Amino acid sequence: MIMKKAKAAIVGSSGYTGGELFRLLLQHPRVSITAVTSEKSTGQPITALFPNLTGFTELLCESLDPDKIAKKADVVFLALPHVTAQETAFRFHQLGIRVVDLSADYRLLDPAVYRQWYEHDHQYPDLLKIAVYGLPELHREKIKKSVFIANPGCYPTGAILGIAPLMKNGWIDPKSIIIDSKSGVSGAGRSPSLTYHYPEVNEGLMAYKIGTHRHTPEIEQELSELFGDKITVSFTPHLIPMNRGILTTIYAVAQKQVDVGQAHALYQEFYRNEPFVRLLPLGQFPNVRNVRGSNVCHIGVTLDPRTGRVIVVTAIDNLVKGAAGQAIQNMNLILGFEETEGLMLAGLFL
Amino acid sequence: MIMKKAKAAIVGSSGYTGGELFRLLLQHPRVSITAVTSEKSTGQPITALFPNLTGFTELLCESLDPDKIAKKADVVFLALPHVTAQETAFRFHQLGIRVVDLSADYRLLDPAVYRQWYEHDHQYPDLLKIAVYGLPELHREKIKKSVFIANPGCYPTGAILGIAPLMKNGWIDPKSIIIDSKSGVSGAGRSPSLTYHYPEVNEGLMAYKIGTHRHTPEIEQELSELFGDKITVSFTPHLIPMNRGILTTIYAVAQKQVDVGQAHALYQEFYRNEPFVRLLPLGQFPNVRNVRGSNVCHIGVTLDPRTGRVIVVTAIDNLVKGAAGQAIQNMNLILGFEETEGLMLAGLFL
Amino acid sequence: MIMKKAKAAIVGSSGYTGGELFRLLLQHPRVSITAVTSEKSTGQPITALFPNLTGFTELLCESLDPDKIAKKADVVFLALPHVTAQETAFRFHQLGIRVVDLSADYRLLDPAVYRQWYEHDHQYPDLLKIAVYGLPELHREKIKKSVFIANPGCYPTGAILGIAPLMKNGWIDPKSIIIDSKSGVSGAGRSPSLTYHYPEVNEGLMAYKIGTHRHTPEIEQELSELFGDKITVSFTPHLIPMNRGILTTIYAVAQKQVDVGQAHALYQEFYRNEPFVRLLPLGQFPNVRNVRGSNVCHIGVTLDPRTGRVIVVTAIDNLVKGAAGQAIQNMNLILGFEETEGLMLAGLFL
Amino acid sequence: MIMKKAKAAIVGSSGYTGGELFRLLLQHPRVSITAVTSEKSTGQPITALFPNLTGFTELLCESLDPDKIAKKADVVFLALPHVTAQETAFRFHQLGIRVVDLSADYRLLDPAVYRQWYEHDHQYPDLLKIAVYGLPELHREKIKKSVFIANPGCYPTGAILGIAPLMKNGWIDPKSIIIDSKSGVSGAGRSPSLTYHYPEVNEGLMAYKIGTHRHTPEIEQELSELFGDKITVSFTPHLIPMNRGILTTIYAVAQKQVDVGQAHALYQEFYRNEPFVRLLPLGQFPNVRNVRGSNVCHIGVTLDPRTGRVIVVTAIDNLVKGAAGQAIQNMNLILGFEETEGLMLAGLFL
């Protein structure tokens, strides 16, 4: 029973997302990694960048040459900074290669919104039109038919999955949404800076980019589509002294007279067939440790009768469901594989 | 120039608050510690419980005998669990000793509220009437005249200081207040349990007691008094993998047409003369690491024009301004010392 | 192509080793988990103990009844405390079930040594005689023929793999061996106690059981066998504020005139065909992060010309190569599977 | 009772040592800080570099101009990189200012050894001759008479204090000394780099510079002086995921027939009058948490009868007794203050 494997390339493999893609694809039964690119480490083994891969691969990093890579890849994962990704994505798309772009460049449907938040023009509005926002829980059918996926941001994944059932069903006051997120440090990437220097982070805790984080319009875009009208949210990210994980605490005023059991049932129904969303039993709430290294999203729901607010908590691994894992989930869908192929890994717990 | 020192006893010295009281009082120029009690460690040196004190003290733990302790103390700090503290506090008060009670037993003015949240009757409603809620920034003059202080909870200290200026000046919709707090693990006390077992906490992150935490009524009591009418808030605590510190993120809808500069000025005015409240420059926000080991509260304020919300972030060390340090601040006030005596310590930074 | 899966039971599944066995076996293509036992949690879903497994299994914990379990298992993993495991292991063995015992009870060949270090008599010396010490790198052929495996301790795994090439080849003064180990906290198990209470461990660092740790005779037994004479070592474990991982730094005086290149070559030769031992390039040394979640052991070797000492550093994940992973490696061998089946997972890196 | 305070300048105040000097000097009753220098932050408030100081000082960073600073300082602390410090130290010394140099530049008495390990010539061998190695426990009387102190390195402080009593009394085989040290990350300084990027350190553990660390000759110099002949040691530092603290585990072969009680008594006698060395009770061993933020060194001693080795464990805070605290201790001595002035702070415990 020999099955021909799909060939995947990882472009921009020196960062955490690139490394995580490699780690996960290594154990994917239907994919082989044929190329990894890194401008700074061209010619070096990928194990020099990620010693955890020692003995698992002999691949060398190469310089990014889309023509060359297109010849040996069926699908390419772009783990590049935003703006930079715009053109590379376009090139690969033109070359007929399926693209999963993990940057922010093709997530915002409206180029004007992109310009406003990213302070750059979008050079490829036509490609932007065909890009699909790769959150399978909302857009599975579109993703399956697509060849170009804009992989969601880490914060939006946790936030949107937490709010979607309420929004879709009109349960909450759309003006009342507050999203308080707490992220591990790997979300900030692998470039050293004083802000992420170990002793500056450890035993510390802070909010940052209050009301101004670039993931805000992404959340608003998806919630607005679900709601059918424009939504504005308060979104505050916090930096937590841990490596992986995002916990998102969501507050919204209930518009319906509902009890906590009904709220829980709403989520159960909404996510009934989802392979990667786990609604926790009533009264239980997520902990990021339970999803570490895993592609699942844990959700807990309650309703505070004193204040009339629905409070939802979600947990994801920012590098897996928030990045590399979801990218592979999208790859599975666009290549016609089983959606869960290579991804049914339980969290590490510790 | 010989100055007679006040004599202080620490009752319930085996927990983190007891240990922190000892550490701070050791460097207080006007106090000597004359007794420490611990039922489990009676007869043992306090250094067996807190090896960091090795060489700084020879004190032995004794069993709690109020009559005996009253003879050698001018002021007693009660670091006992709630309910237990009720009677001990009463006994010391009757013996004419000044009391700073760090438990929750005398914080809630209304015994019915106490019963509702703590599921016990209050046995000493008369003492409750004379107890003063020991948040000097709100009740300094009352504290100075008092002999019995109910030292505030850790979460309420950070929350109330963050909201007071808005509440006092009617700037916000009183129904819109959301308090999202993140605490280090020392706040959970020193009794081992699976929940706080190292590998269960490290690299983890969770919300707990959503909408049901016992510090909620304490926050509501103080805000209601400032506002002049009953306030209900959403309060969610989170457990963060670090030892010390509480970061509190507060959201409220602005009722006035104000800009961020005005908001900042409001706080500057409100806390102008406060020795332990530090309003950060506009655009800067607190990090708990900057207040570690210190009695100060850092505050950052902004206003999100997109959503019309005021967002305030406060940082305290839960064991200092949130417990032992504030208790000593209160002691300074009731003994007529300089309020900052022994407490002008900068945070550890790292 | 339907392959009948082997049936595995995990006895004592509430601890970290039990949980890790479950996590790893879940992704093993040739095994299904048919039973998990826990006396305290009988009747509860295993997901109540390990929420990371939510959605991956519906198994309920059962009480330990060897007869009942023997009917549904081909192999049983014992994750029980020492002494307790003695009899349970014996029972399963008598029932004809293959046993991988993760306790210390059948590791020490000499019952007198067991008595000396564990302060209990060994009740089953006959079974002890047939038990095989399950370090495949040293005893592969014996393991393959065995039905009863004593799975090595975590510290001994890292220490023995680090010293074996030197010992086997007579390169070092056998009296000069010093083993300085540093372990994450999961090695201490899941029972809460003050010593492992989060705030007592975090930002702390200590040595413990200096010269008296029970893993010492296990290391000495294996090194003595390699050397052909009795060896005594200095072994000092340290507790490190992290969840997983053991780094072992080994010092020994070189007896031969060798250079660092020869030392490296010795290891390369010794471990040439080992699937789970990775000798790092000359000049590189291991970091536990690179083996987290993985069954590999990383080794770095140097030779200090100033002191004439060989210095070897090894890194393993104490829960994987130091416990559950190695147990599955042993299971693969005794069931005739490919040795690496289900275990070719790269470390998590972060 | 007005006491004129000594004036202190901190040169190179942007790093962790500079910040710690500021924090500690702030609470020193006999010193005022009159100047802080930072080339990168000239003109900025020191609170921009260390927000923990907010509200405690209004000082602005200035550019390093020795003439200018000499006019306002009685003593200057140099927290500069090695090599750079050479000339600055010389300038201040020529200007008649007392100098406590926290760099490595004046620690090694022999310029040839300096050249060998630091790969630079020493430009000021004459000043080197008058510099005193500032470990008060060994050189108190010389320090008192000196105006130029070479403040010891962090690792050497913990190592030398641990070995001195054995060395001085000829108890151990001088060829058998192994020093295995474990340090928190602040020891690596404040310059961001990938090695110290938070996610690369957290949950990781590694040895580094095995047998080649520059603190080695400093340890050997002091031990050789105590022993009366040249000593060579094995020294291996490790990086631990925590902010502060060094734990040093020392192994040496006993040359005398002694028992553990005698070993303990030796240390007790040696350090009887030392204000900052705390010998722990027999059977107890240090934990870095107990000295965090404090100038004390904790020591535990044992003797392993199986191997005939003395094993000593020491704990210091690398930023305090290992740097800024010891520098202030030296300052106290050279200014004729009480040696413990401003330094009797118990460790933070958590």
Side-chain angles (χ1 to χ4, degrees):
Chain A
M1 193 185 84
I2 294 167
M3 182 164 52
K4 211 179 144 205
K5 289 188 170 190
K7 290 168 290 174
I10 303 170
V11 169
S13 61
S14 62
Y16 293 139
T17 304
E20 189 71 357
L21 280 164
F22 207 114
R23 182 182 78 87
L24 291 170
L25 288 172
L26 262 185
Q27 56 196 6
H28 195 294
R30 302 196 59 178
V31 176
S32 24
I33 307 167
T34 54
V36 288
T37 82
S38 166
E39 301 315 303
K40 272 181 298 188
S41 304
T42 303
Q44 285 186 46
I46 184 75
T47 55
L49 295 172
F50 295 101
N52 58 317
L53 302 175
T54 304
F56 291 99
T57 177
E58 306 282 328
L59 267 187
L60 304 183
C61 296
E62 53 188 282
S63 184
L64 170 53
D65 175 341
D67 295 296
K68 202 172 143 201
I69 285 170
K71 282 177 193 136
K72 49 182 171 178
D74 301 312
V75 61
V76 65
F77 293 95
L78 301 186
L80 296 170
H82 61 86
V83 181
T84 309
Q86 271 192 41
E87 193 191 341
T88 307
F90 177 76
R91 292 283 307 281
F92 279 108
H93 179 66
Q94 282 208 313
L95 289 162
I97 306 300
R98 289 179 189 86
V99 173
V100 181
D101 176 18
L102 288 94
S103 87
D105 280 348
Y106 291 87
R107 294 179 196 153
L108 297 174
L109 305 176
D110 182 348
V113 175
Y114 179 83
R115 194 185 316 113
Q116 179 192 343
W117 288 83
Y118 289 89
E119 292 162 358
H120 279 87
D121 285 323
H122 206 298
Q123 307 292 335
Y124 305 96
D126 290 343
L127 180 53
L128 187 55
K129 275 179 202 143
I130 72 155
V132 176
Y133 189 77
L135 194 64
E137 290 76 8
L138 296 187
H139 304 297
R140 182 170 287 113
E141 295 314 312
K142 271 198 207 165
I143 294 166
K144 282 182 181 172
K145 290 175 212 143
S146 176
V147 294
F148 191 100
I149 302 297
N151 209 59
C154 51
Y155 286 122
T157 296
I160 297 164
L161 290 176
I163 304 169
L166 299 169
M167 210 74 248
K168 178 79 179 176
N169 291 279
W171 276 39
I172 50 171
D173 174 358
K175 287 188 178 169
S176 72
I177 301 171
I178 286 170
I179 300 163
D180 191 285
S181 286
K182 296 94 180 166
S183 176
V185 186
S186 62
R190 205 180 183 188
S191 299
S193 72
L194 187 58
T195 308
Y196 306 113
H197 190 50
Y198 182 88
E200 309 276 320
V201 172
N202 185 39
E203 297 294 291
L205 175 52
M206 63 172 185
Y208 66 100
K209 293 187 187 162
I210 302 174
T212 62
H213 193 283
R214 283 165 168 169
H215 283 173
T216 310
E218 202 178 320
I219 298 169
E220 291 177 348
Q221 166 182 294
E222 295 299 306
L223 296 186
S224 297
E225 187 185 328
L226 282 165
F227 182 61
D229 202 353
K230 196 172 168 350
I231 299 274
T232 306
V233 302
S234 280
F235 168 57
T236 311
H238 298 76
L239 188 75
I240 306 295
M242 60 182 193
N243 278 358
R244 288 168 180 250
I246 293 177
L247 194 85
T248 300
T249 312
I250 298 155
Y251 304 86
V253 175
Q255 289 200 126
K256 298 205 166 187
Q257 270 296 75
V258 288
D259 64 22
V260 66
Q262 290 169 303
H264 194 263
L266 176 78
Y267 278 74
Q268 197 144 40
E269 176 58 25
F270 195 89
Y271 288 124
R272 199 164 29 134
N273 297 315
E274 285 302 332
F276 292 116
V277 179
R278 311 270 194 262
L279 180 64
L280 299 186
L282 198 56
Q284 290 181 24
F285 290 89
N287 188 321
V288 293
R289 64 197 292 253
N290 293 320
V291 303
R292 188 158 59 237
S294 168
N295 198 49
V296 301
C297 173
H298 280 195
I299 302 185
V301 182
T302 192
L303 200 138
D304 180 6
R306 297 174 69 252
T307 59
R309 287 198 181 92
V310 185
I311 303 173
V312 183
V313 184
T314 71
I316 60 168
D317 182 325
N318 56 303
L319 292 179
V320 189
K321 183 63 177 168
Q326 187 147 268
I328 295 171
Q329 186 180 355
N330 281 316
M331 176 205 74
N332 284 339
L333 290 170
I334 63 180
L335 293 183
F337 297 161
E338 189 71 30
E339 184 171 346
T340 58
E341 197 80 82
L343 291 174
M344 287 307 277
L345 306 165
L348 222 64
F349 192 63
L350 49 86
Chain B
M1 192 183 87
I2 294 166
M3 182 163 53
K4 211 176 145 210
K5 289 188 171 190
K7 291 169 289 173
I10 303 170
V11 169
S13 61
S14 62
Y16 293 140
T17 304
E20 190 71 357
L21 280 164
F22 207 114
R23 181 181 79 86
L24 291 170
L25 287 173
L26 263 183
Q27 56 196 6
H28 194 294
R30 303 197 58 181
V31 176
S32 24
I33 307 168
T34 53
V36 288
T37 82
S38 166
E39 301 313 306
K40 274 183 295 190
S41 303
T42 303
Q44 285 185 46
I46 186 74
T47 55
L49 297 172
F50 294 100
N52 59 317
L53 302 176
T54 304
F56 291 100
T57 176
E58 305 283 329
L59 266 187
L60 304 182
C61 296
E62 52 188 284
S63 183
L64 171 53
D65 177 341
D67 294 297
K68 204 172 139 200
I69 286 170
K71 282 177 193 136
K72 49 183 170 178
D74 300 313
V75 60
V76 65
F77 294 94
L78 301 186
L80 296 170
H82 61 84
V83 182
T84 309
Q86 272 192 39
E87 194 193 339
T88 307
F90 177 75
R91 290 285 307 283
F92 278 109
H93 179 65
Q94 281 209 312
L95 288 163
I97 306 299
R98 289 182 189 82
V99 173
V100 180
D101 177 18
L102 288 94
S103 87
D105 281 348
Y106 291 86
R107 293 178 197 154
L108 298 173
L109 305 175
D110 181 348
V113 176
Y114 179 83
R115 194 184 314 115
Q116 181 193 340
W117 289 84
Y118 287 89
E119 292 161 359
H120 278 87
D121 285 324
H122 207 298
Q123 305 295 334
Y124 305 95
D126 290 343
L127 180 53
L128 187 54
K129 276 178 203 144
I130 70 153
V132 174
Y133 189 77
L135 194 64
E137 289 76 9
L138 296 187
H139 304 298
R140 181 169 289 114
E141 295 313 313
K142 270 199 208 165
I143 293 167
K144 282 183 180 172
K145 289 175 211 143
S146 175
V147 294
F148 190 101
I149 302 296
N151 208 59
C154 51
Y155 286 122
T157 296
I160 297 164
L161 291 176
I163 305 169
L166 299 170
M167 210 72 249
K168 177 79 178 177
N169 292 279
W171 276 39
I172 51 172
D173 174 357
K175 287 190 177 167
S176 71
I177 302 170
I178 286 171
I179 301 162
D180 191 285
S181 286
K182 298 93 179 164
S183 175
V185 187
S186 61
R190 206 181 182 186
S191 299
S193 73
L194 187 58
T195 308
Y196 306 112
H197 189 51
Y198 181 88
E200 309 276 320
V201 173
N202 186 38
E203 297 294 292
L205 175 51
M206 63 173 186
Y208 67 99
K209 294 189 187 160
I210 302 175
T212 62
H213 193 283
R214 284 167 167 167
H215 283 172
T216 311
E218 201 178 319
I219 299 169
E220 292 177 348
Q221 164 181 295
E222 295 298 307
L223 297 186
S224 297
E225 188 186 326
L226 281 164
F227 182 62
D229 201 353
K230 198 171 167 350
I231 299 275
T232 306
V233 301
S234 280
F235 167 58
T236 311
H238 298 76
L239 189 75
I240 306 297
M242 60 181 191
N243 280 357
R244 289 169 181 249
I246 293 177
L247 194 84
T248 299
T249 314
I250 297 155
Y251 304 86
V253 175
Q255 289 201 125
K256 300 205 165 184
Q257 272 295 76
V258 287
D259 65 21
V260 66
Q262 290 169 302
H264 194 263
L266 176 77
Y267 278 73
Q268 199 146 37
E269 174 60 24
F270 196 88
Y271 289 123
R272 199 167 27 137
N273 297 314
E274 286 302 330
F276 293 116
V277 179
R278 309 271 194 261
L279 180 66
L280 300 185
L282 198 55
Q284 290 182 23
F285 291 90
N287 189 320
V288 293
R289 65 197 293 253
N290 293 321
V291 302
R292 190 159 58 238
S294 167
N295 197 49
V296 302
C297 173
H298 281 194
I299 303 185
V301 182
T302 191
L303 200 138
D304 180 6
R306 297 176 67 253
T307 60
R309 287 197 182 92
V310 184
I311 303 174
V312 183
V313 184
T314 70
I316 58 167
D317 182 324
N318 57 301
L319 292 179
V320 188
K321 184 62 178 168
Q326 185 148 266
I328 295 170
Q329 188 181 353
N330 281 314
M331 177 205 74
N332 284 340
L333 290 170
I334 62 178
L335 293 184
F337 297 161
E338 188 71 29
E339 185 170 347
T340 58
E341 195 82 82
L343 291 172
M344 287 307 277
L345 307 165
L348 222 63
F349 192 65
L350 50 84
Chain C
M1 194 183 82
I2 294 167
M3 183 164 51
K4 210 179 148 207
K5 290 189 171 189
K7 291 168 289 175
I10 302 169
V11 169
S13 61
S14 62
Y16 293 140
T17 305
E20 190 71 358
L21 280 164
F22 206 114
R23 181 181 78 86
L24 291 170
L25 287 172
L26 262 183
Q27 56 195 7
H28 194 293
R30 303 196 59 180
V31 176
S32 24
I33 306 166
T34 54
V36 288
T37 82
S38 166
E39 302 313 305
K40 271 182 299 189
S41 304
T42 303
Q44 284 186 45
I46 186 72
T47 54
L49 295 172
F50 294 100
N52 59 317
L53 302 175
T54 304
F56 291 99
T57 177
E58 305 282 329
L59 267 187
L60 303 184
C61 296
E62 52 188 282
S63 184
L64 170 53
D65 177 340
D67 295 296
K68 204 172 142 200
I69 285 169
K71 283 178 191 135
K72 50 183 170 178
D74 300 312
V75 61
V76 65
F77 293 94
L78 301 187
L80 295 171
H82 61 84
V83 183
T84 310
Q86 271 194 37
E87 194 192 339
T88 307
F90 177 75
R91 291 284 308 280
F92 277 110
H93 179 65
Q94 280 209 312
L95 288 163
I97 306 300
R98 289 180 190 83
V99 172
V100 181
D101 177 18
L102 289 94
S103 88
D105 280 348
Y106 292 87
R107 292 179 196 154
L108 298 174
L109 305 175
D110 182 347
V113 175
Y114 179 82
R115 195 184 314 115
Q116 181 193 339
W117 290 84
Y118 289 90
E119 293 162 357
H120 279 87
D121 287 323
H122 206 297
Q123 305 294 334
Y124 305 95
D126 291 344
L127 181 53
L128 187 54
K129 277 179 202 143
I130 71 157
V132 175
Y133 189 77
L135 193 64
E137 289 76 8
L138 297 188
H139 305 297
R140 182 169 287 113
E141 294 314 312
K142 271 199 207 165
I143 293 166
K144 280 183 180 171
K145 291 175 210 144
S146 175
V147 294
F148 190 102
I149 301 296
N151 208 61
C154 50
Y155 286 122
T157 296
I160 297 164
L161 291 175
I163 305 169
L166 299 171
M167 211 73 248
K168 177 81 179 175
N169 293 280
W171 278 37
I172 51 171
D173 173 359
K175 287 189 177 168
S176 71
I177 302 170
I178 286 171
I179 301 162
D180 191 286
S181 286
K182 297 94 179 163
S183 175
V185 187
S186 62
R190 206 181 184 188
S191 298
S193 72
L194 186 58
T195 308
Y196 307 113
H197 190 51
Y198 181 87
E200 309 276 321
V201 173
N202 186 39
E203 297 294 290
L205 176 50
M206 63 171 184
Y208 67 100
K209 293 186 188 163
I210 301 174
T212 62
H213 193 283
R214 283 165 167 168
H215 283 173
T216 310
E218 201 178 321
I219 298 169
E220 291 178 346
Q221 164 181 296
E222 296 298 307
L223 296 186
S224 297
E225 188 185 326
L226 282 165
F227 182 61
D229 201 353
K230 198 169 166 353
I231 300 273
T232 305
V233 302
S234 280
F235 168 57
T236 310
H238 299 76
L239 188 75
I240 305 296
M242 60 183 191
N243 279 358
R244 291 169 180 248
I246 292 178
L247 194 85
T248 300
T249 313
I250 297 156
Y251 304 86
V253 175
Q255 291 200 124
K256 301 203 164 190
Q257 271 293 78
V258 289
D259 65 20
V260 66
Q262 290 168 301
H264 194 263
L266 176 79
Y267 278 74
Q268 199 145 37
E269 175 59 25
F270 195 89
Y271 289 123
R272 198 167 28 137
N273 297 314
E274 286 302 332
F276 293 117
V277 179
R278 310 268 194 266
L279 180 64
L280 300 186
L282 199 56
Q284 289 182 24
F285 291 90
N287 189 320
V288 295
R289 65 198 290 254
N290 292 322
V291 302
R292 190 159 58 238
S294 167
N295 198 49
V296 301
C297 173
H298 280 194
I299 302 185
V301 182
T302 193
L303 199 136
D304 180 6
R306 297 175 69 253
T307 59
R309 289 199 180 89
V310 185
I311 303 173
V312 183
V313 184
T314 70
I316 60 168
D317 182 325
N318 57 303
L319 292 178
V320 189
K321 184 62 177 168
Q326 186 148 266
I328 295 171
Q329 187 180 354
N330 281 315
M331 177 205 74
N332 284 340
L333 289 170
I334 63 179
L335 294 182
F337 297 160
E338 188 70 32
E339 185 171 343
T340 57
E341 196 81 83
L343 290 173
M344 287 306 277
L345 307 164
L348 223 62
F349 191 64
L350 51 85
Chain D
M1 193 184 82
I2 294 166
M3 184 163 52
K4 212 180 148 207
K5 291 188 171 190
K7 291 169 287 170
I10 303 170
V11 168
S13 62
S14 61
Y16 292 141
T17 304
E20 190 72 356
L21 279 165
F22 206 115
R23 182 182 77 86
L24 290 171
L25 287 172
L26 261 184
Q27 54 196 5
H28 195 295
R30 303 195 58 179
V31 177
S32 23
I33 307 167
T34 53
V36 289
T37 82
S38 165
E39 301 313 305
K40 273 183 297 190
S41 304
T42 303
Q44 284 186 46
I46 186 72
T47 55
L49 297 171
F50 295 101
N52 59 316
L53 302 177
T54 305
F56 290 99
T57 176
E58 305 283 330
L59 267 187
L60 303 184
C61 296
E62 51 189 284
S63 185
L64 171 53
D65 177 342
D67 295 297
K68 202 172 144 202
I69 286 170
K71 283 178 193 135
K72 49 183 169 177
D74 301 310
V75 60
V76 66
F77 294 94
L78 301 187
L80 297 171
H82 61 85
V83 183
T84 310
Q86 272 192 39
E87 193 192 339
T88 307
F90 176 76
R91 292 284 307 282
F92 277 109
H93 178 66
Q94 282 209 311
L95 289 163
I97 305 299
R98 290 181 187 84
V99 172
V100 182
D101 175 18
L102 289 94
S103 87
D105 280 348
Y106 291 87
R107 292 180 197 153
L108 298 174
L109 304 176
D110 182 348
V113 176
Y114 179 82
R115 194 184 315 113
Q116 181 193 340
W117 289 84
Y118 288 90
E119 293 160 359
H120 279 85
D121 286 322
H122 206 297
Q123 307 293 335
Y124 305 96
D126 290 343
L127 181 54
L128 188 54
K129 276 178 203 145
I130 72 155
V132 176
Y133 189 76
L135 195 64
E137 289 76 11
L138 296 188
H139 304 298
R140 182 170 288 113
E141 294 314 312
K142 271 199 208 165
I143 294 166
K144 281 182 181 173
K145 290 174 211 143
S146 175
V147 294
F148 190 100
I149 302 297
N151 208 59
C154 51
Y155 286 122
T157 296
I160 297 165
L161 291 177
I163 304 169
L166 299 170
M167 211 70 249
K168 177 81 180 176
N169 291 278
W171 277 39
I172 51 171
D173 174 357
K175 286 189 177 167
S176 71
I177 301 170
I178 287 171
I179 300 162
D180 191 284
S181 286
K182 297 94 180 163
S183 175
V185 187
S186 62
R190 205 180 184 187
S191 297
S193 73
L194 187 57
T195 308
Y196 307 113
H197 190 51
Y198 182 89
E200 309 276 320
V201 172
N202 187 37
E203 297 295 290
L205 176 51
M206 63 172 185
Y208 67 99
K209 294 187 187 161
I210 301 175
T212 62
H213 193 284
R214 284 167 168 168
H215 283 174
T216 310
E218 200 178 319
I219 299 170
E220 292 178 346
Q221 164 181 294
E222 295 299 307
L223 295 186
S224 297
E225 188 186 327
L226 281 166
F227 182 62
D229 201 353
K230 197 172 168 349
I231 299 275
T232 306
V233 301
S234 280
F235 168 57
T236 311
H238 298 77
L239 189 75
I240 306 295
M242 59 182 191
N243 279 358
R244 289 170 180 247
I246 292 177
L247 194 85
T248 299
T249 314
I250 298 155
Y251 304 86
V253 176
Q255 290 201 124
K256 300 206 165 185
Q257 271 294 78
V258 288
D259 65 21
V260 65
Q262 289 169 302
H264 194 263
L266 177 77
Y267 278 74
Q268 200 146 36
E269 176 58 25
F270 196 90
Y271 289 123
R272 199 165 27 136
N273 296 315
E274 286 301 332
F276 292 116
V277 179
R278 309 270 194 262
L279 179 65
L280 299 186
L282 199 56
Q284 288 182 25
F285 290 90
N287 189 320
V288 293
R289 64 198 293 254
N290 294 320
V291 303
R292 187 157 60 240
S294 167
N295 197 49
V296 301
C297 173
H298 280 195
I299 302 185
V301 181
T302 191
L303 199 137
D304 181 5
R306 299 175 68 252
T307 59
R309 285 197 183 92
V310 184
I311 303 173
V312 184
V313 184
T314 70
I316 60 166
D317 182 325
N318 57 302
L319 292 179
V320 188
K321 184 62 179 167
Q326 186 147 265
I328 294 171
Q329 186 181 354
N330 281 316
M331 176 204 75
N332 284 339
L333 289 170
I334 62 179
L335 293 184
F337 298 161
E338 188 70 32
E339 184 171 348
T340 57
E341 196 81 83
L343 290 172
M344 288 305 279
L345 306 164
L348 223 64
F349 191 65
L350 49 84

